[in-house]
């Protein structure tokens, strides 16, 4: 054996020195079909002061009960495995430091995400989530199949349009908290719609119109109630509600040129369309047209008792004398300006074949 | 019985790229993965992916090849390296056309950043979430091509019948139950094994699964002693802070504020090769010039604007897991086990010596990384060699119309009995106890610096742990989402991988790349410019060697 004088270099002294703290947590347990009772267990574990919720669950699983089930992998908030509810709101377990809760003397409650069926303990069935992602045709449509010789040219500011949506890790935290989905389980939901905008907003994508038509259908973008819970709960700053708003704006922008009607078929879409049309006519919303044009004349008849009730309270404007802007010409000028804006499909990225000479390949 | 032409085990960048290529070639493909594809650890890659596009400054595949050969400390196979470096630009353009959202220059072309030990700014990137962008674009393509995915299926065994791989046995994690998945060709793409180290950048899922599957199926593992330590990982949980931080101009300082890289790498400084930087840090910390067991990664001089636009992910990680905002103060970092350069011995088409079995990505060793991998080369390897393995497997499957892979019912029953044994065992240790002991042993005895005495202790400990792991007891006796059972299976893989690593390390009496021996401090090309092979031999590790492929570049002294 060769002699050496720096054997001490093999092992790092103090590598395991950490300060510890005690954390208590109440965890929802559920055994699945065989044992369908949901119950709560409280565990107390000793973990480093830097520990996250995920570290605490690991300590519970190692030291208390190895049957506790939850998903995990990267423990750095990028794989999207460990979405769950902490005190009633969705979080990534690996992104929540526990120290503040310990300092406040608060025992957190941990439960599986909402709006998805529970498989066991903190594990939910993600299949409904992925079905909706698949439904938005989540891949770039460039219609080129031959091996590319160079890249598309995309200006940084063009790409900036989808920078937030591209951060999505598909953890499901937004879906867990989505109020619309609670009422309509078929609503595409914030994650799938943010994914859809990632393509609609991509200047390389050639399928904008068809995408928008689909997204304006039943269970599409107009089902969102704008509660903003998805923005609030997203651990990655994707802001799905903003993406949904952008999809609405793109719909109008695209539709202004060829007639919005072809794109907007769903009830929610028609509702939004009334706003557009009546502001075009007179600069104001004509409330009395809103209901019949949204749900149709037959549906509107059923709403007559409600309308009378509103009228008695003085909340129905005179249908014969709608609000009108003082200077309707200005309204028209504004609309002209809007119409002159180029629809996105006309400001595409430079196709590689257009730039091959420039690049000299 | 499930049957496909090609089955890919693992769904990170290499696995998905392989599956897409095979599917495009027109064969029936399925992916088996213990995680949903987008949960794979490729998604955690931050800094970028290397290809000599020449967008930033003049560059060439030859220059990329030379840098990689030198970076490998001349242990990389030069034919394989040339393949990757020459095919890389085409693969990058293709990723971009698939929809990858890479960072752009003002001219709209792909931006390229400097990375360690590279002669030109060659690293294509997406801020500091390059892996995330790639894993999602590949998943999009997987959906587009309608590839069958057995999600959350844990591969427990490769079935070799008559000398040919006939497919894989896999446990359905969600519902429970073992399935035989027959395939004419099986491609392993299960990633790395960092979890055998206490300090590691790797996800919980990186547990040497594929290495162990191949090893037990009779394929040698190559160069397993070469575990790369990444120089900038967080103390609290090992999370990686990208090399891009140094690429963008970050400094490494010791407790006295000195940029200590000036001495070991006066030219490259912080952008020297990873092994060089990790050793320098280790010495600073071990000799008392560290701060709480770390050195300091200083980005403060880059300014808030640059940090927010180029390194937003790193900033978020530092805030979340180190409690430090790098705009205001330096990030404490230390070396952590990061990447297994070695792995399943394959040729430049990803093929192993067992007919019907391929491997690609970190699980494989082609070898393009040799004794030390350059930052940005591993993502590139997953794409180029994933594609090649998918193409080769599909071609074979199409030609071999007469081959019918069959998994014998008896093999399934044997494996069911083994799993049943773990599920019902009432005595023995819990897997985590052995796992934690292994992780500390490896970090202390087979880390950045190694000696014969430390490695001997390490090997003895690993042998003891392997013996103890024969009797495991798990709490979860159910079949639904039983991660306790998974942890027992993963522990066996980790132990076998560790045994191969330490056996190779003990034998290799030289210092080369990531394998740094305090008792043999020089590279010894005469005796050791050769690949280590570790074979399965009735449960034990048998050593063997094979030559390195040298084409153009004769070994030189490696300095930065």
């Amino acid at each position: 054996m060769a002699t050496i004088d720096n054997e001490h270099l093999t092992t790092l002294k103090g590598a395991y020195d950490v300060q510890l703290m005690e954390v208590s947590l109440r965890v929802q347990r559920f055994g699945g079909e065989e044992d369908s009772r949901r119950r709560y267990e409280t565990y107390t574990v000793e973990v480093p002061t830097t520990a996250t919720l995920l570290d605490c669950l690991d300590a519970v699983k190692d030291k208390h009960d190895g049957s506790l089930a939850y998903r995990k992998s990267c423990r750095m908030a990028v794989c999207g495995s460990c979405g769950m509810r902490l005190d009633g709101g969705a979080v990534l377990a690996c992104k929540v430091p526990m120290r503040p809760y310990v300092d406040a003397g608060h025992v957190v409650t941990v439960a599986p995400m909402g709006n998805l069926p529970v498989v066991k303990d903190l594990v939910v069935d993600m299949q409904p989530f992925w079905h909706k992602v698949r439904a938005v045709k989540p891949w770039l449509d460039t219609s080129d199949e031959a091996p590319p010789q160079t890249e598309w040219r995309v200006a940084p500011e063009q790409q900036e349009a989808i920078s937030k949506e591209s951060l999505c890790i598909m953890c499901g935290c937004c879906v867990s908290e989505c109020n619309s989905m609670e009422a309509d389980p078929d609503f595409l939901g914030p994650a799938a719609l943010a994914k859809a905008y990632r393509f609609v907003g991509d200047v390389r994508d050639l399928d904008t119109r068809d995408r928008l038509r689909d997204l304006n259908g039943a269970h599409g973008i107009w089902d969102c109630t704008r509660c903003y819970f998805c923005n609030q709960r997203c651990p990655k700053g994707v802001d799905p509600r903003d993406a949904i708003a952008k999809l609405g704006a793109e719909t109008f922008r695209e539709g202004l040129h060829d007639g919005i009607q072809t794109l907007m078929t769903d009830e929610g879409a028609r509702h939004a369309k009334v706003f557009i049309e009546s502001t075009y006519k007179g600069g104001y919303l004509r409330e009395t047209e809103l209901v019949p044009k949204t749900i149709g004349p037959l549906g509107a008849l059923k709403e007559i008792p409600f309308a009378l009730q509103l009228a008695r309270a003085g909340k129905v404007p005179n249908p014969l004398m709608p609000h009108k802007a003082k200077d309707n010409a200005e309204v028209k000028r504004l609309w002209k300006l809007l119409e002159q804006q180029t629809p996105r499909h006309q400001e595409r990225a430079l196709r590689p074949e257009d730039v091959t000479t420039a690049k000299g390949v | 019985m499930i049957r496909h032409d090609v089955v890919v085990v693992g769904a990170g960048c290499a696995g998905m790229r392989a599956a897409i290529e095979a599917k495009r070639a027109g064969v029936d493909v399925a992916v088996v993965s213990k995680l949903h594809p987008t949960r794979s650890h490729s998604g955690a890659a931050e800094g970028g992916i290397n290809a000599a596009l020449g967008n930033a400054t003049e560059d060439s595949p030859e220059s990329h090849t030379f840098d990689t050969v030198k970076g490998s400390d001349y242990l990389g196979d030069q034919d394989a390296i040339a393949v990757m470096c020459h095919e890389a630009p085409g693969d990058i353009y293709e990723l971009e056309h698939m929809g990858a959202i890479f960072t752009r220059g003002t001219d709209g072309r792909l931006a390229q950043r400097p990375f360690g030990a590279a002669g030109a700014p060659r690293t294509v990137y997406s801020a500091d979430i390059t892996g995330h962008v790639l894993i999602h674009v590949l998943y999009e393509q997987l959906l587009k091509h309608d590839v069958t995915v057995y999600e959350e299926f844990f591969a427990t065994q490769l079935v070799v019948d008559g000398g040919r791989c006939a497919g894989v046995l896999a446990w359905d994690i969600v519902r429970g139950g073992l399935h035989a998945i027959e395939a004419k060709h099986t491609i392993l793409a299960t990633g790395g094994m960092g979890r055998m180290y206490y300090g590691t950048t790797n996800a919980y899922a990186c547990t040497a699964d594929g290495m162990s599957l191949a090893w037990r199926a009779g394929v040698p593992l190559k160069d397993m002693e070469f575990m790369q330590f990444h120089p900038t990982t967080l103390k609290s949980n090992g999370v990686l802070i990208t090399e891009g931080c140094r690429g963008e101009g970050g400094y490494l300082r010791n407790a006295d504020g000195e940029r200590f890289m000036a001495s070991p790498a006066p030219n490259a400084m912080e952008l020297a090769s990873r092994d060089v930087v990790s050793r320098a840090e280790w010495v600073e910390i071990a000799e008392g010039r560290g701060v709480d067991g770390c050195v300091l990664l200083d980005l403060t001089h880059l300014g808030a604007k640059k940090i927010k636009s180029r390194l937003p992910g790193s900033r978020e990680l530092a805030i979340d897991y180190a409690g430090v905002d790098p705009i205001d103060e330096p990030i404490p970092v230390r070396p952590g086990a990061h990447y297994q350069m070695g792995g399943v011995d394959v040729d430049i088409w990803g093929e192993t010596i067992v007919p019907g079995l391929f491997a690609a990505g970190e699980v494989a060793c082609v070898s393009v990384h040799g004794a030390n991998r350059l930052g940005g080369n591993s993502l590139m390897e997953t794409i180029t060699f994933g594609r090649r393995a998918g193409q080769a497997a599909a071609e074979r499957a199409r030609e071999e119309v007469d081959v019918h892979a069959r998994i014998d019912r008896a093999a399934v029953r044997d494996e069911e009995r083994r799993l049943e044994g773990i599920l019902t065992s009432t005595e023995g240790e819990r897997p985590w106890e052995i796992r934690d002991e292994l992780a500390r042993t490896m970090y202390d005895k087979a880390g950045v610096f190694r000696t014969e005495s430390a490695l001997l202790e390490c090997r003895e400990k690993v042998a003891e742990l392997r013996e103890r792991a024969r009797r495991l007891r798990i709490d979860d006796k159910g079949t639904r989402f039983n991660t306790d059972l998974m942890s027992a299976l993963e522990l066996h893989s980790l132990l076998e991988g560790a045994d191969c690593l330490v056996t190779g390390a003990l034998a290799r009496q030289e210092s080369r790349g990531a394998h740094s021996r305090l008792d043999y401090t020089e590279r010894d090309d005469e005796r050791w410019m050769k690949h280590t092979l570790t074979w399965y031999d009735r449960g034990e590790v048998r050593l063997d060697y094979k030559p390195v492929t040298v084409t153009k570049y004769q070994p030189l002294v490696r300095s930065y």
Side-chain angles (χ1 to χ4, degrees), chain A residues 126-233:
Chain A
M126 290 291 282
Q127 286 314 316
F129 175 94
W130 293 112
H131 281 143
K132 288 172 182 174
V133 172
R134 268 199 288 276
V136 303
K137 209 182 106 179
W139 55 82
L140 193 73
D141 186 346
T142 57
S143 73
D144 54 5
E145 291 299 330
Q149 299 300 308
T150 183
E151 71 266 55
W152 290 73
R153 298 295 174 84
V154 181
E157 50 278 14
Q158 286 178 311
Q159 196 159 278
E160 183 61 26
I162 51 169
S163 61
K164 278 178 153 185
E165 292 75 15
S166 71
L167 297 173
C168 177
I169 59 172
M170 301 278 161
C171 61
C173 286
C174 58
V175 164
S176 167
E177 305 311 304
C178 177
N179 278 304
S180 292
M181 207 178 280
E182 228 175 293
D184 173 14
D186 292 330
F187 174 42
L188 279 171
L193 290 173
K195 186 74 174 174
Y197 183 72
R198 176 254 167 277
F199 296 103
V200 167
D202 192 321
V203 289
R204 295 171 296 181
D205 192 82
L206 300 174
D207 201 26
T208 309
R209 261 195 97 74
D210 284 345
R211 289 183 191 280
L212 288 173
R213 183 178 304 116
D214 293 346
L215 296 169
N216 274 277
H219 317 294
I221 53 175
W222 303 106
D223 277 18
C224 168
T225 59
R226 303 167 177 81
C227 71
Y228 283 84
F229 276 26
C230 54
N231 280 15
Q232 195 186 2
R233 279 297 166 180

Side-chain angles (χ1 to χ4, degrees), chain B residues 302-461:
Chain B
L302 299 181
K305 196 174 159 216
K306 193 167 187 181
I307 292 173
K308 283 182 185 168
S309 67
R310 300 289 185 82
L311 304 163
S314 304
R315 177 171 178 241
E316 191 179 318
L317 293 172
I319 291 171
D320 284 348
Y321 304 121
V324 160
D325 186 340
I327 292 174
D328 304 320
E329 41 181 335
I331 313 167
V333 293
R334 66 178 182 186
H338 178 52
Y339 184 88
Q340 172 55 272
M341 265 79 69
V344 179
D345 183 26
V346 295
D347 66 13
I348 56 172
W349 288 98
E351 196 158 14
T352 70
I353 57 158
V354 171
L357 183 62
F358 291 73
E362 189 174 350
V363 69
C365 179
V366 190
S367 140
V368 288
H369 309 305
N372 173 67
R373 175 175 72 79
L374 299 189
N377 268 356
S378 62
L379 281 180
M380 199 63 252
E381 183 199 10
T382 64
I383 300 299
T384 302
F385 288 101
R387 171 179 54 74
R388 288 171 73 91
Q391 184 189 334
E395 272 169 18
R396 289 290 177 75
R398 267 206 316 244
E399 288 162 9
E400 298 165 341
V401 280
D402 300 332
V403 172
H404 300 287
R406 289 274 183 277
I407 293 178
D408 190 16
R409 188 65 217 159
V412 184
R413 274 197 301 271
D414 285 351
E415 187 67 349
E416 277 170 343
R417 264 197 293 275
R418 181 173 80 101
L419 299 180
E420 191 64 28
I422 302 173
L423 275 170
T424 53
S425 166
T426 50
E427 44 193 56
E429 287 174 83
R430 299 273 308 285
W432 70 268
E433 300 173 57
I434 297 175
R435 179 199 70 207
D436 281 6
E437 215 170 317
L438 172 69
R440 288 189 176 215
T441 303
M442 296 300 287
Y443 198 63
D444 289 345
K445 308 289 180 197
V448 167
F449 289 110
R450 299 159 176 187
T451 65
E452 183 164 318
S453 59
L455 288 168
L456 277 169
E457 283 174 46
C458 186
R459 193 177 64 172
E460 212 167 289
K461 188 58 155 179

